[in-house]
Amino acid sequence: QVQLVESGGGLAQPGGSLRLSCTAAGRTSSSVSMGWFRQAPGKEREFVAAIRWSDDVTYYADSVKGRFTISRDNAKISVYLQMHSLKPEDTAVYYCALANSRLVLSMMRVEDDYEYWGQGTRVTVSS
């Protein structure tokens, strides 16, 4: 069993920045994929960004490309989401997810390919 714990959410002004963190505890494979998804009020959960441990390949939703950066910690199973130029439409609960396998690029945005999920951390962008 793997547990994911997110942190770093909060309130930011439009144009501001926040950094989300997610750390996995438990037994994982040697080649995981981790991603961030978000769910805005009244909307379905959507893909934000993902990273593959084996080769550092990253993948972003068009809506965050150029503003958000996903990265990982080599020493532990941790993933980060650095968010810049935040917009009100970035307001959502952000979820960390882990797949115990090396996902192909086209699958990195698919929720069903991730076996483990965090509890979510709320991000509010408002003036």
Side-chain angles (χ1 to χ4, degrees):
Q1 189 71 14
V2 175
Q3 291 184 324
L4 301 177
V5 179
E6 301 119 328
S7 62
L11 176 65
Q13 291 190 338
S17 300
L18 282 174
R19 186 175 186 248
L20 307 183
S21 300
C22 173
T23 297
R27 191 167 183 173
T28 62
S29 75
S30 60
S31 186
V32 302
S33 304
M34 292 188 74
W36 288 96
F37 292 75
R38 67 185 182 186
Q39 187 168 21
K43 294 189 176 181
E44 293 187 352
R45 191 157 58 185
E46 65 176 4
F47 170 76
V48 177
I51 188 166
R52 204 161 60 190
W53 244 245
S54 60
D55 51 11
D56 272 338
V57 165
T58 57
Y59 188 38
Y60 294 93
D62 288 343
S63 58
V64 306
K65 206 172 291 184
R67 300 188 299 122
F68 292 9
T69 302
I70 189 169
S71 62
R72 66 181 180 95
D73 187 326
N74 289 339
K76 52 187 177 179
I77 307 299
S78 292
V79 66
Y80 308 97
L81 187 68
Q82 180 66 56
M83 304 184 292
H84 293 300
S85 303
L86 284 163
K87 304 175 181 180
E89 50 263 44
D90 294 319
T91 295
V93 176
Y94 283 70
Y95 296 91
C96 174
L98 182 145
N100 247 334
S101 61
R102 180 183 179 275
L103 297 177
V104 299
L105 196 62
S106 60
M107 294 291 106
M108 291 171 75
R109 65 182 303 127
V110 178
E111 285 189 42
D112 289 347
D113 286 321
Y114 293 86
E115 297 101 323
Y116 302 101
W117 292 81
Q119 80 286 354
T121 184
R122 186 173 300 275
V123 171
T124 303
V125 183
S126 175
S127 54

